[in-house]
Amino acid sequence: MTDSILPYVKSGDGAPYLAGSRCGACGQVFVGERSTCAKCTARDKMEPIHLATTGRLYDFTIVHRSFPGVKTPFVDAIVDLDDGAHIKGTLIGVDPDPARIAFDMPVRLEFREAIPVGADRPYLTYVFVPAEGATA
């Protein structure tokens, strides 16, 4: 399996997943590993979890200028995962046109290999795609 440059993208049990933490005191879910809850400040009550692979589009922006080698325009999205976590990522499989993108549209997570410009080996990353039946 390809390595990831993101610390919360893991590849355990043969399948990649997003790693998160759930507070045993208040139930809040976060992206990545934590030892203290940012919501209720409980210490040492965080348990590791696999984050949800489905969610809803909370917000987005259309990016028209980016780093050399990055194809534009693309949709930069914030997604509310179904387990309560919130995460930023790229939304693909939709036209980068605000009239064609619906807030609250269901999305699902997919993992991909990416090769940065000038790099000699790929890394593992994730994107969001419209869930089956999603319409703008």
Side-chain angles (χ1 to χ4, degrees):
M1 178 61 61
T2 305
D3 292 331
S4 175
I5 59 173
L6 301 169
Y8 51 87
V9 175
K10 307 287 185 178
S11 58
D13 304 329
Y17 66 93
L18 295 181
S21 301
R22 176 179 287 122
C23 179
C26 72
Q28 185 68 37
V29 176
F30 300 95
V31 175
E33 299 171 5
R34 293 174 177 241
S35 60
T36 303
C37 179
K39 182 177 180 186
C40 74
T41 68
R43 294 181 181 270
D44 301 322
K45 300 231 185 255
M46 303 301 288
E47 58 189 68
I49 62 169
H50 289 210
L51 294 177
T53 58
T54 56
R56 295 193 167 270
L57 181 64
Y58 174 76
D59 204 359
F60 69 93
T61 189
I62 312 279
V63 178
H64 292 277
R65 293 181 65 184
S66 190
F67 295 104
V70 175
K71 190 186 224 180
T72 58
F74 65 88
V75 181
D76 194 31
I78 298 174
V79 172
D80 290 337
L81 295 176
D82 289 340
D83 57 14
H86 316 284
I87 193 164
K88 185 177 178 223
T90 301
L91 176 62
I92 65 170
V94 297
D95 288 333
D97 175 356
R100 297 186 172 272
I101 302 170
F103 290 105
D104 205 37
M105 73 185 280
V107 297
R108 66 183 163 76
L109 182 73
E110 287 187 358
F111 290 92
R112 304 276 168 94
E113 280 190 348
I115 302 175
V117 174
D120 58 351
R121 60 181 253 213
Y123 65 93
L124 183 64
T125 191
Y126 64 94
V127 295
F128 292 101
V129 297
E132 206 169 306
T135 59

